[in-house]
Amino acid sequence: MSDETPLAGDLLVRIGAIMFLVGAAATLATVAPLFLGTEPLPSVFYWVCMLMGLGFLIAAAGVIRSAAAQRRRAAAASPPSAPSAT
């Protein structure tokens, strides 16, 4: 197990990755009958395919949230700049 503390968007990235993989598997399962010459799958599989795009968006939101939190931490850690003397 990692000693690192989880960042703000880590959970979103993990959930998005899982949703993306489920959607990718559904996409492969949906396209396979076209090449195998078998009956197409029920329309539910076509809806599950949309999890791939939704998972990508959720993971991207997690990356943006994590980057914003890291930027806030870096700004808080750096000393404020002194006003320039004119």
Side-chain angles (χ1 to χ4, degrees):
M1 183 142 212
S2 177
D3 291 340
E4 294 181 19
T5 58
L7 297 176
D10 284 350
L11 183 62
L12 285 175
V13 172
R14 288 181 182 159
I15 291 171
I18 291 168
M19 289 176 67
F20 182 86
L21 291 175
V22 168
T27 301
L28 289 175
T30 304
V31 173
L34 297 173
F35 295 112
L36 300 175
T38 60
E39 283 291 317
L41 294 174
S43 61
V44 173
F45 280 87
Y46 293 97
W47 287 100
V48 175
C49 290
M50 292 186 191
L51 285 177
M52 195 161 91
L54 185 62
F56 182 79
L57 288 176
I58 290 174
V63 168
I64 291 170
R65 184 175 178 196
S66 178
Q70 188 174 8
R71 185 176 298 185
R72 283 191 301 270
R73 274 196 313 272
S78 66
S81 59
S84 60
T86 55

